[in-house]
Amino acid sequence: MSTILFDKIIFGPVHSRRLGVSLGVNLLPTDGKLCSFNCIYCECGLNEERRTRSKLPTRVEVKEALVQKLAYMQSEGIAPDVITFAGNGEPTMHPEFGGIIDDTINTRNQFFPQAKIAVLSNSTMLHKEEVFQALNKIEDNILKLDSVLDSRIRQLNAPNSSSFNFDSLLKQLCRFNGKLIIQTMFLRGEINGEHIDNTSESEIKGWVNALKQIRPKQVMIYTIDRETPVKNLKKVSGEDLEIIAEVARKEGFDVTVSA
């Protein structure tokens, strides 16, 4: 069972295989996980195994922690490439998300104006106008799209909301008019006796067709890198990821691969 949880509001910096030197921001409780998805590959574990008893950090606490960390990094001559909202679940679930993004932009400009701000989101809160507007203010708005099939989304991502579906998600992603990065996890394996594989020719064709409508400025594809809470999941090889990437590149998309 995966046991990676972040016990602080600010963590790192770490070297991200996708983002460079990344300073992490966790807007979720530090003693468990809070997420609107229950992804079978999540490094934080499954929701039911990571119940939390603590409160969310406040907007003031997040700002104070970020100021303290960036001041220290500045004094040590360590510059982040990006300040990344990730952590123990879905960051956009925080009720003060919009204000926290505003604070982070101002704090970033004070200490490291060249650093980008990124949010890794599962795309479930895009219907909230405050979340949508906040994500439009940052440099790297990274939104999840693991499949265009509702059955596969339920299998891989297990949304908390039974109404979450691809058609509504696609409409929300298109609202950004290309100012977003699409992130897709590719994997294979088995769960509860069911076969899992979102790399089939038909699924990749549907995925590329969705990209044509979304028009993202970049596409990040990746596979399993750490222990997963559900067993019998398999990495997709770097060679196979490159084949998928080339299909999208031929359509004009900027695709990065993390194998």
Side-chain angles (χ1 to χ4, degrees):
M1 182 174 62
S2 181
T3 57
I4 297 177
L5 288 172
F6 300 98
D7 60 359
K8 298 181 178 67
I9 297 173
I10 307 297
F11 56 94
V14 299
H15 189 274
S16 166
R17 56 183 178 151
R18 282 160 283 170
L19 301 173
V21 179
S22 172
L23 182 66
V25 183
N26 174 36
L27 299 185
L28 291 311
T30 57
D31 66 340
K33 179 188 173 191
L34 183 63
C35 196
S36 47
F37 270 178
N38 196 18
C39 296
I40 60 176
Y41 57 78
C42 182
E43 65 185 37
C44 294
L46 298 176
N47 294 351
E48 59 269 22
E49 298 168 348
R50 294 288 181 267
R51 299 296 184 191
T52 177
R53 295 176 177 82
S54 63
K55 297 179 180 180
L56 298 173
T58 66
R59 176 179 175 178
V60 171
E61 289 172 335
V62 174
K63 181 177 180 179
E64 289 177 347
L66 183 61
V67 167
Q68 182 179 7
K69 184 66 174 184
L70 291 182
Y72 171 77
M73 292 177 67
Q74 188 179 65
S75 69
E76 294 293 313
I78 304 170
D81 294 315
V82 60
I83 299 169
T84 307
F85 287 80
N88 301 335
E90 174 53 35
T92 63
M93 291 178 70
H94 196 292
E96 296 181 289
F97 179 76
I100 289 172
I101 289 296
D102 288 339
D103 292 343
T104 302
I105 292 171
N106 292 332
T107 304
R108 181 274 310 270
N109 292 344
Q110 177 184 351
F111 290 98
F112 294 102
Q114 77 284 1
K116 295 181 178 180
I117 296 172
V119 173
L120 299 176
S121 172
N122 65 18
S123 309
T124 57
M125 298 291 134
L126 301 182
H127 60 284
K128 294 187 175 183
E129 191 62 24
E130 180 187 20
V131 171
F132 176 75
Q133 294 299 336
L135 292 174
N136 267 296
K137 296 176 182 179
I138 63 172
E139 289 80 15
D140 288 343
N141 168 29
I142 305 173
L143 299 175
K144 177 178 293 297
L145 176 63
D146 283 347
S147 179
V148 300
L149 302 178
D150 288 341
S151 59
R152 186 74 72 201
I153 291 172
R154 289 193 294 271
Q155 189 183 51
L156 293 177
N157 307 127
N160 293 350
S161 172
S162 59
S163 64
F164 186 85
N165 62 77
F166 169 71
D167 287 340
S168 59
L169 171 59
L170 180 61
K171 291 177 183 178
Q172 294 294 342
L173 294 174
C174 288
R175 290 179 67 203
F176 288 96
N177 293 319
K179 190 184 177 184
L180 76 166
I181 297 170
I182 289 294
Q183 183 185 73
T184 302
M185 161 70 80
F186 287 108
L187 55 79
R188 300 181 177 120
E190 182 180 297
I191 179 172
N192 298 326
E194 294 183 350
H195 180 63
I196 300 171
D197 185 357
N198 63 339
T199 70
S200 67
E201 184 177 348
S202 61
E203 286 198 50
I204 297 304
K205 182 178 179 180
W207 176 72
V208 172
N209 285 337
L211 294 180
K212 289 179 182 179
Q213 297 176 69
I214 299 165
R215 299 179 292 108
K217 64 180 183 179
Q218 187 180 6
V219 179
M220 295 178 173
I221 68 174
Y222 67 127
T223 191
I224 298 168
D225 185 48
R226 300 184 177 95
E227 182 184 3
T228 59
V230 172
K231 304 307 176 187
N232 301 320
L233 302 182
K234 300 177 182 178
K235 290 171 64 77
V236 174
S237 69
E239 292 80 5
D240 284 352
L241 287 178
E242 285 293 344
I243 291 172
I244 294 170
E246 280 304 310
V247 175
R249 287 171 183 150
K250 287 180 180 178
E251 299 294 338
F253 294 105
D254 175 14
V255 186
T256 64
V257 174
S258 299

